[in-house]
Amino acid sequence: MSTADAVAQIKAQGYQIWATDLNPDSVDVRELDWDAAGPVCVVMGNEERGISEEMRGLADKTFTLPMCGFAESFNLSVATSITLAHMSSKSDGEGNGPLRPGDLD
C-alpha cells in the first residue's frame, strides 16, 4: 500500500493527519487545538530525514516540537513522548480530548 493510499484510508475514517515537520508553516505543538480537530492520526518523521515530501503534501497540519540548546531535533522516542504528553494534557480520561479510552491499547 502506498503512502497516499494509507492516508486516504485513514482520512476516510474521519481522521485528520497531523505530522511533525520542521517547515516555516508548522505550528508549535503547544498551540495546537486538539479539541477542535476531532480524531487525529499523528505522523512522526524519520530521525534523519523527517517526513517525506509526499507526507508533507498529504498532511492536514504540520507541527514542531520547540527545543532549546544545540541539537536540531529530539530522537523519535522522545519526540513521540512529548507529543503524547501534550495530547494527554488535553484529555480528561472520560472520552474528551485527543486521547480517548482505548486509543493506546
Side-chain angles (χ1 to χ4, degrees):
M1 176 180 293
S2 70
T3 299
D5 290 341
V7 168
Q9 273 191 357
I10 292 166
K11 286 185 176 188
Q13 295 176 41
Y15 286 83
Q16 288 191 38
I17 306 294
W18 290 9
T20 57
D21 191 33
L22 295 173
N23 79 64
D25 297 323
S26 290
V27 177
D28 185 315
V29 70
R30 298 169 293 187
E31 297 173 10
L32 292 172
D33 189 355
W34 296 99
D35 293 328
V40 174
C41 173
V42 175
V43 176
M44 305 300 292
N46 174 293
E47 287 186 26
E48 290 182 30
R49 295 177 304 279
I51 61 173
S52 66
E53 287 295 327
E54 179 181 21
M55 180 54 69
R56 187 172 293 114
L58 294 169
D60 297 299
K61 185 175 298 247
T62 57
F63 65 95
T64 60
L65 302 171
M67 60 184 297
C68 298
F70 298 105
E72 289 186 14
S73 64
F74 295 107
N75 72 33
L76 183 58
S77 64
V78 172
T80 301
S81 297
I82 292 168
T83 301
L84 288 172
H86 279 280
M87 294 173 75
S88 181
S89 73
K90 302 295 183 183
S91 302
D92 64 9
E94 310 255 333
N96 300 306
L99 292 179
R100 294 167 181 84
D103 279 353
L104 300 178
D105 292 346

